[in-house]
Amino acid sequence: MLSLWQLKFRAQSFHYKSKAEEMKLLRVAGVVFIIISAFQFVNIRYYGGDIFSLSSQDEFPLSLHESTEPIRPVPGPVRVNVSSLNSAEGERTGLGEVYVSVQSHDSFAEGTKDKEALYSLLETRSSSSNGSDADIVNENSRNVETLESESDDSSVEDDAKDKETQDDFLLETRSSSSNGSDAEIVNENNRNVETLESSSRSGDNLSTEVKRVMNVTESGVVSIAEMMSLLHQSRATHVSSKMKRPSAVDQELLYARTQIENPPMGENDPLLHGPLYWNLSMFKRSYELMETKLKVYVYREGKRPVFHKPVLKGIYASEGWFMRQLKASKTFVTKNPRKAHLFYLPFSSKMLEESLYVPGSHSDKNLVKFLKNYLDMVSSKYHFWNKTGGSDHFLVACHDWAPSETRQYMANCIRALCNSDVSEGFVFGKDVALPETTILVPRRPLRALGGKPSSQRHILAFFAGGMHGYLRPRLLQTWGGNRDPDMKIFSEIPKTKGKNKSYMEYMKSSKYCICPKGHEVNSPRVVEALFYECVPVIISDNFVPPFFEVINWESFAVFVLEKDIPDLKKILLSITEERYREMQMRVKMVQKHFLWHSKPERFDIFHMILHSIWYNRVFQT
């Protein structure tokens, strides 16, 4: 048996050993705590918290609005992968592709509220910016246009500028009421917006339908006819089924679909020329139902300048004009969301880039995060988004980066996009091809409308503009300079002794206006050609033209494959004079669908954009 002394000795030894182990554990815990604290400091201070950033599938809300229900991507239609985001907003020339200009240091804010909203938005910027907060505020103030201060007496100045070269014409007409000097405007127009890094590999996630079409097509390009086939396939996947308890809105949509699919056979309409449309009867019936049935709920949430501040001037004006005219509509807007067929997310992709993009960052991560925060807030306040996964919500965005910014969290929305590229995520039957329009004088959007009659158009083909992307340099190299007197292809319109033609005069005097892609497939020149009654020649593979679901573009426009640029003149000369006159007449007839009016008119561009969104919503039922 152990003696009392031995027992006491063993108890003391055990006590000392436990103490030693406890001290050892405390030292290890202290070292680990110091390492984690140091790592977090480095992460937050130098990496903007990106090391610990949440993935798109994380369940923790990132909202700045104390949301408790974060938005997660909802399974929906198969999407085409976004191949790249190498678009540059700057260095654009031509009436449709203008330099990014700045006209007022205070254009962000309309009073104290807008300025406070600006500072609130700037808090969401990535901490990787090299400048101070004051630098960011100044930078953003320099990067936004003043859009609502056009002067009524600008017409006198505009008429005098028609004799200038293309760039001078643009710069001067844009500055009719600017507070800055001409030199300042020129310097501001030379600012380049950095392109964003490619976020995915081209073609990796192309839908099965698109791959099949591209595999069987010799050119590897999806034609207009094949786009229509993809559209019909998409419609077939949304065949109406019996609902357990269809709401009044669901019943109205089902009724509309039945009516559109079985329209009354109407006679020729004096306002609508039959050959311009795939099915005039279906279009007319759908349009009439839109006028009598459609109700849209516009979210009031979201602060300026990204939300509720329409851009009314420049090459991205389509999204701003639509926002302004829809919000003012007493016909389509409802204050009762339970009666709405559609829900509008009223943000500007142009102002999103101007407000939040960090120059030099080559990343749109904070822009995407900002939109997610907005959806977090909307979904936590209302149940409408979560009820449908966003499929009855829509956005209208014209900036080149919009497909990338919206493809993750807004993928199920109906997206009206100017950058409507088959290879960058455009979903047939859901997304809408938005016309990219140039507005120089917001108070007079129809200034200089029209052109010379076909008999007085002596120039075969015309193009002038910046050499963005790979296609335009090839076009200039093949047809530029004085290589062919019939082909007026310029990077800048040359000045000659005597009378100088302006960009506008060239378009008004040409039979065919060349519309080549730049960094992205879309170009304002497509709508400009219609504006000046010139037959558009679209050289942009896989570009989905505006309103293609109802308008037959091949009846009034020419599509040339990018690889066929060397044969461009041969292709144009192969079109008979009779066929050209017919196409030019149809350009005049379809023109009404691409015009902005101070107050919307039937069948104008506002109603056509809304109709395309309505049309896709009906066939998703």
Side-chain angles (χ1 to χ4, degrees), residues 229-407:
S229 177
L230 291 170
L231 177 64
H232 291 310
Q233 290 178 32
S234 172
R235 297 275 157 80
T237 64
H238 289 79
V239 177
S240 301
S241 59
K242 292 183 179 180
M243 303 177 184
K244 293 182 179 179
R245 292 182 180 178
S247 66
V249 169
D250 294 330
Q251 291 175 345
E252 288 174 350
L253 290 172
L254 289 171
Y255 170 79
R257 176 166 180 161
T258 302
Q259 290 289 306
I260 295 170
E261 290 177 330
N262 302 280
M265 298 302 294
E267 299 179 356
N268 291 334
D269 192 300
L271 298 177
L272 303 173
H273 184 55
L276 293 174
Y277 310 93
W278 296 110
N279 188 317
L280 178 57
S281 297
M282 287 183 66
F283 169 59
K284 285 184 61 178
R285 186 60 181 141
S286 177
Y287 190 93
E288 291 167 356
L289 288 167
M290 177 194 74
E291 288 183 307
T292 57
K293 299 290 185 182
L294 176 60
K295 295 299 176 186
V296 179
Y297 181 77
V298 182
Y299 284 109
R300 298 179 182 179
E301 289 71 22
K303 296 181 180 180
R304 292 188 173 200
V306 175
F307 299 93
H308 309 289
K309 189 177 177 69
V311 177
L312 303 178
K313 186 176 181 180
I315 62 173
Y316 301 123
S318 288
E319 63 180 25
W321 276 77
F322 179 86
M323 181 191 299
R324 180 186 183 183
Q325 295 191 343
L326 178 62
K327 291 179 69 175
S329 173
K330 295 181 180 179
T331 301
F332 298 111
V333 173
T334 177
K335 294 182 179 180
N336 185 353
R338 299 185 184 280
K339 294 184 178 180
H341 305 92
L342 287 162
F343 295 80
Y344 176 42
L345 303 171
F347 75 94
S348 165
S349 62
K350 165 68 173 174
M351 296 305 291
L352 179 68
E353 181 271 331
E354 290 282 7
S355 305
L356 299 178
Y357 177 63
V358 180
S361 67
H362 303 289
S363 173
D364 65 346
K365 184 176 180 179
N366 62 322
L367 283 70
V368 174
K369 182 178 178 181
F370 179 82
L371 292 179
K372 180 187 182 297
N373 292 338
Y374 170 70
L375 290 182
D376 282 345
M377 180 265 295
V378 167
S379 66
S380 64
K381 187 173 181 179
Y382 305 95
H383 74 279
F384 306 108
W385 174 278
N386 295 327
K387 181 180 179 181
T388 64
S391 62
D392 55 357
H393 288 56
F394 73 95
L395 60 93
V396 177
C398 198
H399 197 278
D400 291 347
W401 300 350
S404 173
E405 294 163 355
T406 60
R407 77 175 185 270

Side-chain angles (χ1 to χ4, degrees), residues 77 227-228 230-238 391 412-415 426-433 544 548-549 612-621:
M227 289 180 186
M228 287 302 299
L230 291 170
L231 177 64
H232 291 310
Q233 290 178 32
S234 172
R235 297 275 157 80
T237 64
H238 289 79
S391 62
N412 279 355
C413 291
I414 299 173
R415 302 182 304 164
F426 186 91
V427 182
F428 291 96
K430 179 181 75 67
D431 293 336
V432 169
V544 183
F548 87 102
E549 65 276 353
S612 289
I613 297 168
W614 151 262
Y615 198 70
N616 283 359
R617 174 71 179 112
V618 167
F619 280 93
Q620 284 183 3
T621 308

Side-chain angles (χ1 to χ4, degrees), residues 446-511:
L446 300 183
R447 175 191 173 275
L449 175 67
K452 295 181 179 180
S454 58
S455 60
Q456 297 180 25
R457 292 176 177 262
H458 304 302
I459 300 172
L460 178 64
F462 165 72
F463 167 79
M467 295 294 107
H468 320 309
Y470 62 86
L471 187 68
R472 294 183 184 182
R474 190 189 310 170
L475 177 68
L476 185 68
Q477 183 179 9
T478 306
W479 297 106
N482 297 318
R483 288 178 176 82
D484 193 308
D486 295 329
M487 307 289 285
K488 304 297 183 182
I489 309 297
F490 311 112
S491 58
E492 294 182 1
I493 296 179
K495 291 183 178 181
T496 58
K497 293 183 178 180
K499 184 178 180 181
N500 294 320
K501 276 190 176 182
S502 69
Y503 177 87
M504 180 178 64
E505 288 176 323
Y506 268 108
M507 295 199 85
K508 286 174 175 283
S509 304
S510 299
K511 288 185 174 182

